Amino acid sequence: MEQGYAVFLLLGVVLVLIDGQLIYRSGKGYMNRAYGDPEAARSMTRLATVLFHLVVLGMLALVSMISVDTGDPVKNVVMKLGIMLLVLALVHAVTMVILGRIRDRQLQQQLADEMAEDHRQFDQAHRVPAQSRAEPLAYPTTTSPAAGAPTATPVDPPAASAPLATPAPGTTATPTAAPTPEQQVDPTQVKTIR
């Protein structure tokens, strides 16, 4: 009886250690993409593997206390190993679910961070600068040689009946402001030179 108990514990511990190493080695690669940093992936996988070992070794100790009597010591060990393998499979599945959730949460966080960064860059690239106030365009004035003072005689005033000019393709039209009353010419003040 003592020999069968020792064999069961030895086989159980070996199975737990083998499965723990499989989880650790596979989990590192599985978590590496989510974290992008091999050290962070290794640390998270190591934490999950330690938890796995503690839980399964505790279950092994509990299963070893179960009394099974089939009449044959070998059958007793096989029966306990079968129970232990089922427990091991269950804890293995739970560990993989936990690692999968951690990985999905990390990937979602990375995606949210990337989207926030893209949104910030888009806002910076398409920020509209503050528009300055447009000043009206004034018609150029000429200086009267006799008086020496500028007179408000427009050069090339726009014709009232002329059609509006359309801008050439590829250019933009700039609006011109109408002359102010100070810039308009009084016909009685204009001298004609002959």
Side-chain angles (χ1 to χ4, degrees):
M1 181 70 180
E2 292 296 324
Q3 189 178 5
Y5 184 75
V7 169
F8 169 73
L9 283 179
L10 180 64
L11 290 174
V13 168
V14 168
L15 288 172
V16 170
L17 291 177
I18 290 172
D19 195 27
Q21 284 302 308
L22 287 173
I23 289 175
Y24 178 69
R25 292 177 190 273
S26 301
K28 274 195 310 186
Y30 183 68
M31 300 295 282
N32 199 15
R33 180 178 177 268
Y35 281 93
D37 179 19
E39 187 60 37
R42 188 179 308 120
S43 298
M44 184 54 67
T45 308
R46 189 177 298 136
L47 289 172
T49 305
V50 167
L51 179 64
F52 169 81
H53 281 112
L54 291 174
V55 170
V56 177
L57 287 174
M59 299 297 271
L60 176 67
L62 292 176
V63 170
S64 70
M65 300 305 293
I66 295 175
S67 167
V68 177
D69 189 17
T70 61
D72 186 6
V74 175
K75 288 183 181 177
N76 290 345
V77 171
V78 170
M79 177 81 78
K80 284 185 176 183
L81 278 176
I83 294 170
M84 190 58 213
L85 285 173
L86 290 175
V87 169
L88 187 63
L90 179 65
V91 177
H92 184 98
V94 169
T95 304
M96 293 310 298
V97 168
I98 290 171
L99 285 175
R101 286 188 179 175
I102 291 171
R103 179 179 184 261
D104 290 344
R105 189 177 305 128
Q106 185 66 25
L107 287 173
Q108 288 175 355
Q109 182 64 39
Q110 281 183 355
L111 184 62
D113 291 344
E114 288 173 7
M115 289 176 65
E117 179 65 22
D118 289 346
H119 184 69
R120 186 185 64 78
Q121 288 177 355
F122 180 81
D123 282 350
Q124 283 182 349
H126 292 88
R127 182 172 290 149
V128 178
Q131 294 180 354
S132 60
R133 197 181 96 198
E135 296 292 330
L137 297 175
Y139 288 101
T141 59
T142 59
T143 305
S144 170
T151 59
T153 50
V155 177
D156 283 331
S161 62
L164 293 174
T166 57
T171 61
T172 57
T174 55
T176 56
T180 60
E182 293 82 35
Q183 294 175 333
Q184 291 179 351
V185 178
D186 185 3
T188 58
Q189 299 290 329
V190 176
K191 294 181 184 178
T192 56
I193 300 173
R194 294 187 191 177

